[in-house]
Amino acid sequence: MVCVEDLLVEVDQLHDEKQFSRIFEMLNTYVRENPAADSNVEVLWRFARAHYDLSGELGVQRSKQEQLLRAGQQLANQCYQLNADNFYSHKWMAVFISALTEFDSIKNKIESAFRIKEHCDRANELLDTDDTGKKLKDGTLEHLLGRWCFRIASISWIERKLAKAVIAELPAAPEEATYENALNHFLVADELKENFVVNALWCAHAYKKLGNTKKAKQWYQKALRMKQESHSDKQSAKEARKLLSKL
């Protein structure tokens, strides 16, 4: 029988090597053959991550992407139900809700944005501190928080009217949802995570919204210079190239 601790070590090593298909197959087999895996948060969040990683591989059709993302979200939700005080439970809930907004209506996109914010905030609360006592940060969470600020700052009057019921139920007005704060989150994410193509794209978007065309051009160019390893990277580079040509 496979030792779960050894499996997780190997999975994490393979993830560093970006061997996503192999990881998916390994975890899929383990979960299928070990009923106890259904209650192991450490296994489940990694299996959720494997779904997300596989959905971003080049050549994966849109319908397959959605299928993988929805299956991954179920696993992330399973983690959350098992342990709502686990950093990865909240991180991957935020990641999947964000990824699935691409398939949602306008009202659902706005409602989802606030759910993403809640999970990001809780995940950040659960992060450890460094040797100096300073709170650690996560590049993915910083990017998602930047997207949240950007999205809420850019809600149009029509969208706000369509989502009035959702907005009205918020416990507090989102004063932090500004393009300036979005940019700050994106810049932190850039420092924390290498070759983050989609984040470079959103840095450019934020600078563009703030009226800094020079910086926007630099970040679109930076996105194009980065290594493109996934479908998401390719799409981000394509968008950067298109918008750069219009500046």
Side-chain angles (χ1 to χ4, degrees), residues 8 10 58 66 73 100 112 140 163 181 193:
L8 298 181
E10 184 176 1
L58 293 173
E66 183 178 4
Q73 185 184 37
L100 283 165
S112 293
T140 299
N181 283 338
K193 194 170 178 180

Side-chain angles (χ1 to χ4, degrees), residues 47-246:
F47 195 25
R49 180 182 65 182
H51 281 73
Y52 179 80
D53 290 335
L54 206 59
S55 75
E57 291 282 76
L58 293 173
V60 176
Q61 297 297 314
R62 181 177 170 83
S63 59
K64 181 64 173 177
Q65 286 178 343
E66 183 178 4
Q67 180 185 340
L68 285 164
L69 290 172
R70 295 204 183 279
Q73 185 184 37
Q74 289 182 355
L75 290 165
N77 188 58
Q78 196 173 339
C79 290
Y80 176 65
Q81 297 302 322
L82 286 167
N83 187 352
D85 292 322
N86 181 278
F87 166 76
Y88 292 103
S89 295
H90 287 282
K91 175 178 177 176
W92 287 101
M93 282 294 292
V95 168
F96 281 105
I97 295 170
S98 177
L100 283 165
T101 57
E102 184 179 342
F103 305 92
D104 284 340
S105 65
I106 290 173
K107 182 174 180 178
N108 285 342
K109 285 179 189 289
I110 297 171
E111 184 177 19
S112 293
F114 289 100
R115 291 174 61 209
I116 292 165
K117 177 68 161 54
E118 290 172 2
H119 284 295
C120 285
D121 285 347
R122 182 61 182 136
N124 275 326
E125 289 174 5
L126 292 166
L127 274 171
D128 292 330
T129 56
D130 61 20
D131 294 337
T132 66
K134 185 178 180 181
K135 199 77 171 176
L136 296 173
K137 292 186 177 183
D138 180 273
T140 299
L141 291 179
E142 289 300 313
H143 175 75
L144 291 177
L145 286 169
R147 294 276 286 267
W148 178 80
C149 290
F150 194 103
R151 175 61 182 155
I152 301 305
S154 61
I155 295 174
S156 68
W157 178 84
I158 294 175
E159 289 177 319
R160 204 172 283 273
K161 186 175 181 180
L162 288 171
K164 186 177 180 180
V166 176
I167 302 298
E169 291 170 3
L170 291 175
E175 294 92 352
E176 64 198 282
T178 65
Y179 294 122
E180 290 86 353
N181 283 338
L183 177 60
N184 289 335
H185 283 298
F186 293 141
L187 292 175
V188 172
D190 181 71
E191 293 177 2
L192 294 171
K193 194 170 178 180
E194 290 184 327
N195 205 60
F196 203 172
V197 185
V198 67
N199 188 71
L201 174 71
W202 280 88
C203 281
H205 289 342
Y207 274 120
K208 186 178 177 183
K209 282 289 188 180
L210 291 168
N212 193 331
T213 304
K214 181 179 179 180
K215 281 285 189 178
K217 285 182 178 179
Q218 290 175 356
W219 279 92
Y220 283 136
Q221 290 168 343
K222 182 173 181 176
L224 290 171
R225 290 195 301 270
M226 289 179 172
K227 189 176 181 181
Q228 298 159 32
E229 300 178 309
S230 67
H231 174 75
S232 173
D233 291 344
K234 291 284 187 182
Q235 290 299 109
S236 296
K238 181 179 179 181
E239 185 176 350
R241 187 174 292 106
K242 179 181 177 181
L243 292 173
L244 183 61
S245 68
K246 296 180 179 180

